[in-house]
Amino acid sequence: MLQMPILRTSRSAERKSRAQHSASPARHEVFPSHRDQSQVVESTYQQAVKVEQVDDSLPKDQLVEALRGQHALVIAFSGSQTQNSIKLADAAFEAGVKHIVPADYGSCDSSDPRSLELVPLYKSKKEVRDYLIGLSQRSRPDGSHLTWTSLITGHFFDYGLKSGLLAVDIKEHKARVFDGGNIRFSASTLADIGLATAKVLGRVGDARLSNKLVNAHSVATTQNELIGKVEGAVGPKFEVEQVSSNEYIKEQKGLLAGDGSQDSAAIEELVSVEGIVMQIGRTKGICS
């Protein structure tokens, strides 16, 4: 399934947002596009939202037509879909789209050499971002340029608590703590990731955001603080396993074969530990 939201900001909303520098993002009209075989049904969206279909192969002419007249493109499918992201970027450039938010997001900074070495997914994200850098340096026939912003959000907080990505098992009252549990790391709720994206779209042209990786987070916390809060909310104290992050990474790397793409569970564990110990985004982000 491929979901391709395309977002357009009205001119009046842009001007109001820039004039007020408001903490609330401007409102945007959203135009989702789906591949023909997408299982997302139109009833997923509000009745006023127009959904466009494109062929599964994402032909450039259909993409350009879907994007023409749009203010911005937000790519919301997996960051591993490198070639599809590049297809969208090329179409956006030709269609005159002003700004792209690629499918970067995620637990780790995809520009960090250590993360790039550990997790193949981040190499895909970097490849797309490098491509956008190249596009941003080209002029269109009318002299305009395309800009982009990558959001580095840290772990998805609400999703991570449910899935175990934060190394906390609420159901079993267990937790895995890396390197003593006092490393402060960033995390963002899914709602705040949406808010940060909307804020970026309301500030297209802002030099602080254009052609940059931007940290955005809901909270900066430690594993020990998190476990304490969870214990206070759900009851008995958790059984805590103290682990060396380096040893755990070595163990999970040993489970990978070739480029590491064959073992999704080990990759998820590498993302989990790296997102906790690499300490990204501790300074105030745009949705803090």
Side-chain angles (χ1 to χ4, degrees), residues 60-103:
K60 187 174 182 179
D61 59 339
Q62 289 187 22
L63 293 177
V64 171
E65 182 62 27
L67 289 165
R68 197 175 301 282
Q70 305 300 331
H71 177 68
L73 167 68
V74 178
I75 302 176
F77 49 63
S78 170
S80 63
Q81 296 193 37
T82 307
Q83 292 308 310
N84 283 339
S85 291
I86 288 174
K87 285 182 179 181
L88 289 171
D90 281 336
F93 183 85
E94 184 170 324
V97 171
K98 286 187 175 182
H99 198 78
I100 293 179
V101 179

Side-chain angles (χ1 to χ4, degrees), residues 217-236:
H217 64 246
S218 305
V219 63
T221 189
T222 69
Q223 285 190 283
N224 288 334
E225 289 174 354
L226 176 61
I227 292 167
K229 293 293 185 181
V230 173
E231 286 176 338
V234 302

Side-chain angles (χ1 to χ4, degrees), residues 130-246:
D130 287 345
Y131 193 81
L132 291 175
I133 291 171
L135 281 182
S136 70
Q137 295 170 346
R138 292 168 49 189
S139 295
R140 296 186 177 105
D142 63 0
S144 66
H145 289 81
L146 174 74
T147 57
W148 57 271
T149 302
S150 284
L151 287 170
I152 310 301
T153 61
H155 278 322
F156 294 177
F157 186 76
D158 36 0
Y159 166 81
L161 279 177
K162 294 176 182 178
S163 68
L165 186 66
L166 295 179
V168 174
D169 186 333
I170 294 178
K171 184 177 179 180
E172 298 296 329
H173 289 256
K174 295 180 179 180
R176 181 181 298 112
V177 169
F178 299 109
D179 304 333
N182 292 316
I183 298 172
R184 192 160 297 277
F185 65 94
S186 290
S188 299
T189 64
L190 297 178
D192 274 349
I193 293 170
L195 175 61
T197 302
K199 284 189 174 184
V200 167
L201 297 177
R203 300 177 187 178
V204 170
D206 188 327
R208 296 171 298 175
L209 303 177
S210 295
N211 304 327
K212 289 182 172 65
L213 290 93
V214 176
N215 286 325
H217 64 246
S218 305
V219 63
T221 189
T222 69
Q223 285 190 283
N224 288 334
E225 289 174 354
L226 176 61
I227 292 167
K229 293 293 185 181
V230 173
E231 286 176 338
V234 302
K237 290 187 70 65
F238 277 43
E239 177 185 335
V240 175
E241 177 189 9
Q242 297 286 345
V243 178
S244 160
S245 64
N246 287 335

Side-chain angles (χ1 to χ4, degrees), residues 8-128:
R8 180 175 65 196
T9 307
S10 69
R11 299 296 181 188
S12 60
E14 279 186 79
R15 288 194 294 268
K16 183 177 180 181
S17 176
R18 290 176 180 173
Q20 295 179 344
H21 296 284
S22 171
S24 299
R27 296 183 65 85
H28 305 279
E29 293 179 82
V30 181
F31 296 82
S33 294
H34 298 283
R35 291 191 301 187
D36 288 334
Q37 292 186 2
S38 171
Q39 297 178 21
V40 177
V41 296
E42 291 196 23
S43 59
T44 301
Y45 304 102
Q46 296 178 9
Q47 188 173 1
V49 174
K50 178 185 176 183
V51 179
E52 297 188 31
Q53 298 294 129
V54 295
D55 188 79
D56 292 337
S57 62
L58 299 181
K60 187 174 182 179
D61 59 339
Q62 289 187 22
L63 293 177
V64 171
E65 182 62 27
L67 289 165
R68 197 175 301 282
Q70 305 300 331
H71 177 68
L73 167 68
V74 178
I75 302 176
F77 49 63
S78 170
S80 63
Q81 296 193 37
T82 307
Q83 292 308 310
N84 283 339
S85 291
I86 288 174
K87 285 182 179 181
L88 289 171
D90 281 336
F93 183 85
E94 184 170 324
V97 171
K98 286 187 175 182
H99 198 78
I100 293 179
V101 179
D104 218 323
Y105 309 107
S107 303
C108 304
D109 181 347
S110 60
S111 68
D112 180 77
R114 170 171 151 149
S115 296
L116 289 169
E117 189 276 328
L118 282 178
V119 186
L121 169 63
Y122 295 109
K123 294 179 182 178
S124 298
K125 292 183 177 184
K126 183 178 184 299
E127 183 177 345
V128 172

